[in-house]
Amino acid sequence: ASGREEFLLWATRITIGGGLTLVMLVVGLPIITSLIGLVAGYVLVNGLVTRAWNRMRTDVEAEIPTLLSGLKSAISTAPNVPQALADTARTLRAGGPLRSWAEKTASQMHAEGQPCIESLRKEAAAISSSLAVCVELIGRMWTTGGQGYAQAFENAADNLRDVLSARVLARARGSG
């Protein structure tokens, strides 16, 4: 997390914890007992942040099969990988986290060229291991190119898409 995000997270933890502590004091609990409000605020904020992060990661992973299918089609018609990613991004769910990531990534690829792949790998790995595999596939396609690798990309994309689709189905059945 960036310094600003870390600061805001701690500020929220302290604010919520302090508020809970004050409520406990107003209710008439002893000071020592009321200090548990600080711990409760920390745990509450961490739980909310973790749940939101997991929801975002699940949303990203649910759309990866669509991204891979679109990329497979776009690359088979035009081998310009950054443009194929930009075109495919427009087919993803509007306002979705994967669309936002794909648009930003395509823009970065256009602006910085192939050297940006390493930073994209790190960013994707921080979001999802499945997204990191996608970036690896995209990076290899971009650096290697050629019809032979386009076919290899299609096969790898099909395999990853099938695995992710099964994972999304399993999650849906588990939560439903």
Side-chain angles (χ1 to χ4, degrees):
S2 73
R4 182 174 183 275
E5 290 170 343
E6 198 69 31
F7 170 77
L8 291 173
L9 181 61
W10 275 105
T12 304
R13 288 172 178 154
I14 291 168
T15 302
I16 298 293
L20 289 172
T21 300
L22 281 175
V23 167
M24 290 180 183
L25 285 171
V26 169
V27 170
L29 292 174
I31 292 175
I32 299 295
T33 305
S34 298
L35 289 177
I36 291 177
L38 291 173
V39 174
Y42 182 89
V43 170
L44 176 69
V45 170
N46 279 359
L48 292 172
V49 168
T50 299
R51 187 167 55 187
W53 179 255
N54 286 337
R55 187 177 326 120
M56 189 274 301
R57 183 184 351 234
T58 301
D59 287 349
V60 164
E61 289 180 354
E63 282 197 282
I64 287 176
T66 305
L67 173 72
L68 291 173
S69 293
L71 268 175
K72 184 175 105 172
S73 299
I75 286 174
S76 67
T77 59
N80 182 340
V81 176
Q83 188 58 48
L85 182 59
D87 293 343
T88 303
R90 287 190 285 275
T91 67
L92 298 172
R93 183 173 50 94
L98 188 58
R99 181 175 183 162
S100 170
W101 178 87
E103 288 172 342
K104 182 189 78 62
T105 299
S107 174
Q108 186 176 352
M109 289 168 75
H110 279 297
E112 298 175 23
Q114 290 181 356
C116 74
I117 286 295
E118 189 56 39
S119 66
L120 292 173
R121 281 185 189 123
K122 289 177 184 175
E123 178 187 347
I127 296 170
S128 161
S129 58
S130 301
L131 189 58
V133 171
C134 289
V135 170
E136 184 65 30
L137 289 172
I138 291 167
R140 285 185 181 174
M141 176 62 200
W142 196 20
T143 56
T144 307
Q147 188 56 38
Y149 198 80
Q151 184 60 43
F153 174 84
E154 288 181 24
N155 293 338
D158 285 342
N159 291 338
L160 183 59
R161 189 184 67 234
D162 292 344
V163 168
L164 291 174
S165 294
R167 184 187 296 175
V168 168
L169 183 60
R171 280 188 186 147
R173 287 186 179 163
S175 65

